[in-house]
Amino acid sequence: GIQVEQSPPDLILQEGANSTLRCNFSDSVNNLQWFHQNPWGQLINLFYIPSGTKQNGRLSATTVATERYSLLYISSSQTTDSGVYFCAVLTQGGSEKLVFGKGTKLTVNP
Amino acid sequence: EPEVTQTPSHQVTQMGQEVILRCVPISNHLYFYWYRQILGQKVEFLVSFYNNEISEKSEIFDDQFSVERPDGSNFTLKIRSTKLEDSAMYFCASRYSTGANVLTFGAGSRLTVL
C-alpha cells in the first residue's frame, strides 16, 4: 500500500521561530490533508491541499503532487502550536481511505 | 460548521466486556470511517462504510469488531470481548463523496480497557 513518511519526527523550537514540516508519499493521491493533534487528542484539520499552495494565518502548506511531497510551514511559532502534526493522503481507486504518516511532534518553548 | 459527533468521549471498561462507540456523521455525508490511534502512535485505518455495507477493512478489523448504521444518523463501532490492547483513541470520520474530498473527523472516543 501507499507509504507516507513525515520528517522530522521531533522538532523543538523557541517561540517566534519558523519551521517547515515535510510529508513524502509513495504514490499518486486524490487528496492530502494536514492535521494538528491537540493535547486533548483531537484531530484539527489544517489544510485540504491535493496540490498548490494555501495559507491560513501563520500557517501555509504546499503540495507538489507530481513530485509526491507536501510541506507545512509554521511562521512565528507560538506555544499553542505545540502538538503532533499529521499528514494524511487519500488513496486512489477502489475504496478510498486516508493513510496517515507517523507525525511530527512539535514542541514550542516560551 | 457541521461536525462529526462522537460519544462517549471516554469509556473505561473491564477486559472481556463489549463496548459500543457511537458517531453521528455530518448529515449529507455518504462515506463513513473508523480509525484507531494507540497512545503515542499514528492514526490507523480500521474500516470504511458506504451504502450500508463495509467498503474496506484493515487487518486490525477482525471478527472482534463490527460496524452498523442502525438508523439514518448513527454509525456505531462495536468491540466484543475487549482486550487490554484495544485501549486507544477511536476516531469516526465522514465525507460527502468520492474523489478529492475532505474527511471530517470527530473529537474521538478514548477507550481504556482494564
Side-chain angles (χ1 to χ4, degrees), chain A residues 31 33 37 96-98, chain B residues 35 37 56 95 99 101 103:
Chain A
N31 177 21
Q33 291 180 240
Q37 187 164 41
E96 297 168 326
K97 62 181 183 288
L98 270 185
Chain B
Y35 284 79
Q37 185 185 30
E56 184 177 348
R95 71 184 172 116
N101 218 265
L103 265 77

Side-chain angles (χ1 to χ4, degrees), chain B residues 99-112:
Chain B
N101 218 265
V102 177
L103 265 77
T104 302
F105 281 76
S109 292
R110 184 172 298 282
L111 175 64
T112 302

Side-chain angles (χ1 to χ4, degrees), chain B residues 6 13-15 18 23 29 33-35 38 50 52 81 84 89-90 92 96 98 104 114:
Chain B
Q6 290 187 240
T13 191
Q14 294 293 322
M15 194 167 51
E18 178 180 282
C23 171
H29 283 191
Y33 304 82
W34 283 102
Y35 284 79
I38 294 171
Y50 169 71
N52 284 320
S81 190
L84 296 177
M89 181 77 99
Y90 290 83
C92 173
Y96 174 63
T98 58
T104 302
L114 301 177

Side-chain angles (χ1 to χ4, degrees), chain A residues 4 30-31 33 35 37 39-43 45 48 50 86 90-91 94-103, chain B residues 33 35 37 41-45 48 55-56 89 91 95 97-108 110:
Chain A
V4 182
N30 277 337
N31 177 21
Q33 291 180 240
F35 296 89
Q37 187 164 41
W40 297 270
Q42 296 173 332
L43 289 170
N45 184 64
Y48 153 66
F86 288 104
L90 190 71
T91 57
S95 172
E96 297 168 326
K97 62 181 183 288
L98 270 185
V99 176
F100 282 74
K102 292 185 177 181
Chain B
Y33 304 82
Y35 284 79
Q37 185 185 30
Q41 297 186 20
K42 73 174 185 179
V43 181
E44 301 173 290
F45 168 77
S48 58
S55 308
E56 184 177 348
M89 181 77 99
F91 292 101
R95 71 184 172 116
S97 69
T98 58
N101 218 265
V102 177
L103 265 77
T104 302
F105 281 76
R110 184 172 298 282

Side-chain angles (χ1 to χ4, degrees), chain A residues 28-73:
Chain A
S28 299
V29 298
N30 277 337
N31 177 21
L32 186 145
Q33 291 180 240
W34 281 98
F35 296 89
H36 175 218
Q37 187 164 41
N38 63 23
W40 297 270
Q42 296 173 332
L43 289 170
I44 309 300
N45 184 64
L46 298 176
F47 293 102
Y48 153 66
I49 185 164
S51 63
T53 297
K54 290 187 178 179
Q55 180 149 10
N56 185 2
R58 295 180 297 103
L59 273 59
S60 64
T62 295
T63 297
V64 183
T66 52
E67 297 186 23
R68 299 179 183 167
Y69 74 89
S70 183
L71 302 173
L72 177 68
Y73 305 96

